[in-house]
Amino acid sequence: MARLIIVRHGNTFDKGDTVTRVGGRTDLPLSASGLAQADALAHHFAGTRFVAAFCSPLMRTRQTARAMIGMHTGAPALIVLPFLTEVDYGPDENQPEDKVVARIGEAALEAWERDATPPEGWLVNPDALREGWRGLLERAAGLGAEDTALVVTSNGIARFLPDVVDSQPGDLDRKLKTGAWGVVEIDGATSRITNWNQRP
């Protein structure tokens, strides 16, 4: 069966930095620790031949994806899919987490983490994101039986993938950690998440 390796880009902040909520309007590169995460991913998947590679237009996803496919002879071209771009956090873009919580409240943040319900003011279209993932799964259904494709995105986008697969682990946490990956297996029209939140 075909596989999609779903990866969240590496860190954009290092220890000691003021961490803020970075969305699609803020095109930060990987930080030093993020580059190290991308390198660790590249080494972990060095034995995997990717037949296709997708990412968002953001630098952090492109850098991560290029690191992962760059170690391969005959690596595929990197295809940018706009729907993979991180969500827009509206008034909370670039704000530290304590200010975000003060504005929207703990309950709204918990609803986002638990079931991907966007807090008030965030510019997120859940239906469009789910449709984007469905389209990518349909595209992956056309891969060869043993083919593997790479998808590098952000936390706010990855969390909508579980809504459109046919099966997944019961205890799956929607939040994909930085530098972590999940695996979607596609067998004909059937898709399932077999691994999630794995790190090298």
Side-chain angles (χ1 to χ4, degrees):
M1 60 187 67
R3 294 190 312 160
L4 288 178
I5 306 297
I6 312 296
V7 176
R8 181 180 173 188
H9 62 77
N11 292 335
T12 51
F13 297 99
D14 288 327
K15 189 174 181 179
D17 292 342
T18 299
V19 178
T20 60
R21 187 166 281 270
V22 175
R25 279 185 285 142
T26 309
D27 197 7
L28 292 182
L30 295 176
S31 65
S33 62
L35 290 168
Q37 288 175 310
D39 187 60
L41 286 163
H43 281 88
H44 180 83
F45 286 101
T48 302
R49 179 180 169 270
F50 294 113
V51 299
F54 307 94
C55 69
S56 84
L58 298 173
M59 278 190 291
R60 52 196 185 262
T61 65
R62 288 187 284 122
Q63 285 176 292
T64 303
R66 285 189 182 125
M68 294 182 68
I69 65 175
M71 299 183 76
H72 299 271
T73 303
L78 190 53
I79 299 170
V80 171
L81 296 179
F83 97 88
L84 295 173
T85 305
E86 180 60 300
V87 303
D88 185 329
Y89 293 114
D92 299 319
E93 183 89 8
N94 284 319
Q95 295 299 312
E97 204 63 12
D98 59 340
K99 288 191 176 181
V100 175
V101 173
R103 190 189 76 82
I104 66 175
E106 290 282 359
L109 200 55
E110 286 169 9
W112 172 247
E113 298 296 353
R114 184 184 61 250
D115 55 26
T117 301
E120 183 181 348
W122 291 12
L123 306 177
V124 186
N125 185 334
D127 289 339
L129 292 174
R130 292 182 185 112
E131 194 55 39
W133 281 117
R134 284 190 194 96
L136 192 52
L137 290 173
E138 287 172 11
R139 194 171 185 167
L143 296 174
E146 301 300 318
D147 286 346
T148 300
L150 173 66
V151 181
V152 183
T153 188
S154 302
N155 171 39
I157 305 304
R159 69 182 54 239
F160 289 95
L161 172 62
D163 293 340
V164 300
V165 296
D166 296 303
S167 63
Q168 60 188 279
D171 59 349
L172 185 138
D173 179 355
R174 287 178 183 269
K175 185 173 183 176
L176 195 58
K177 296 177 281 194
T178 57
W181 78 88
V183 179
V184 180
E185 293 182 348
I186 300 104
D187 187 3
T190 303
S191 60
R192 63 179 182 142
I193 295 174
T194 57
N195 285 294
W196 197 251
N197 259 329
Q198 305 296 307
R199 276 176 166 162

